[in-house]
Amino acid sequence: MLQSALGTGGLLSLGGCALNPLGQEVAQLTRPLNERIEAWMQATTPVPEFKRNQVEPAALLVNSFNGIPEINLDNFSLTVDGLVQQPQQLGLSTLGQLPQQEIVIRHVCVEGWAAIVAWGGVRLADVLRLAEVSPLAGYVAFESADGYFETWDLRTALHPQTLLATQMNGAPLPVANGAPLRLTSPLKLGYKLSKWITAIHVLDTLNPHRLGTWEDQGYEWYAGL
């Protein structure tokens, strides 16, 4: 049964791939089951991490969708809205008062390279908890200052190792790497890990025509590791 289920999951995963010959209609039909299979295979318990002395600073390349945006840190705030009971506008000082966590994980790029990085910041789950997410919610969308857009399933967003990072390798997060706020997680490929995040929208459903900057051009939506 397990082999059969995994085989089906591998077939269905084509529904989110640009190479799928069956088209976007089949992708829409298979996505709910595809999500459940991938979420089942992806444990909610913490992913094993690396040691701090295994960090590879030179291996982390800098990719930018639309250049590095200019952000005024003095008046920066993170918007959290949508299907929440308490919409939030969170400044950096408020985010800094939430429990902080460091994770040492491998950042994996779809281009074929990877780097072990120590990220520090606040759990996305703690930020969403402040906003009191509706039980009807199933997804989150991320807006970035450079115009980049991403959507995630809520379950992965709430994973204890999904962070809104403000630190990298024990130092303040560099602007080129997404300061003041970027996503990081051991569960997703690099193109899902938005930089320069300015807003989080909590959703009940996904707009099939606006799944993400690269997903709308054919990249896989779930993009789990």
Side-chain angles (χ1 to χ4, degrees):
M1 290 293 293
L2 176 60
Q3 228 173 8
S4 173
L6 292 178
T8 304
L11 174 64
L12 291 177
S13 68
L14 293 175
C17 179
L19 301 179
N20 177 18
L22 303 179
Q24 290 299 317
E25 294 81 3
V26 174
Q28 288 302 111
L29 291 173
T30 60
R31 179 171 291 120
L33 179 57
N34 198 21
E35 289 175 30
R36 290 196 293 271
I37 291 172
E38 292 215 43
W40 171 71
M41 291 190 293
Q42 193 176 67
T44 57
T45 54
V47 174
E49 297 185 21
F50 296 88
K51 296 179 180 178
R52 188 66 184 275
N53 62 8
Q54 293 178 287
V55 166
E56 304 168 311
L60 183 65
L61 304 182
V62 175
N63 285 335
S64 176
F65 159 70
N66 193 27
I68 299 174
E70 292 187 10
I71 300 176
N72 187 339
L73 299 183
D74 293 334
N75 60 13
F76 174 84
S77 67
L78 173 69
T79 298
V80 186
D81 61 14
L83 287 179
V84 298
Q85 296 182 40
Q86 300 291 334
Q88 300 287 316
Q89 291 286 339
L90 304 171
L92 293 176
S93 60
T94 301
L95 290 169
Q97 293 169 12
L98 294 174
Q100 303 293 301
Q101 179 183 7
E102 182 178 84
I103 57 175
V104 184
I105 59 172
R106 178 176 279 118
H107 177 98
V108 180
C109 181
V110 73
E111 295 173 348
W113 58 267
I116 297 172
V117 186
W119 302 104
V122 61
R123 290 182 181 90
L124 178 55
D126 289 340
V127 171
L128 294 175
R129 193 171 296 114
L130 284 178
E132 299 182 21
V133 172
S134 165
L136 300 177
Y139 304 92
V140 287
F142 302 95
E143 302 273 3
S144 295
D146 64 339
Y148 199 78
F149 181 76
E150 259 304 338
T151 57
W152 284 37
D153 61 293
L154 181 61
R155 178 171 178 162
T156 308
L158 294 176
H159 190 278
Q161 288 167 293
T162 296
L163 303 187
L164 290 172
T166 56
Q167 301 277 320
M168 188 178 84
N169 299 332
L173 181 66
V175 174
N177 294 102
L181 213 55
R182 67 161 293 152
L183 267 174
T184 186
S185 174
L187 306 178
K188 297 286 190 184
L189 286 169
Y191 66 85
K192 301 294 290 187
L193 306 177
S194 300
K195 299 190 283 283
W196 307 296
I197 293 175
T198 57
I200 301 172
H201 311 298
V202 181
L203 313 171
D204 57 346
T205 59
L206 291 175
N207 179 346
H209 303 294
R210 197 166 189 247
L211 297 175
T213 296
W214 293 116
E215 292 87 336
D216 293 343
Q217 300 181 49
Y219 280 52
E220 182 190 355
W221 175 76
Y222 197 86
L225 293 173

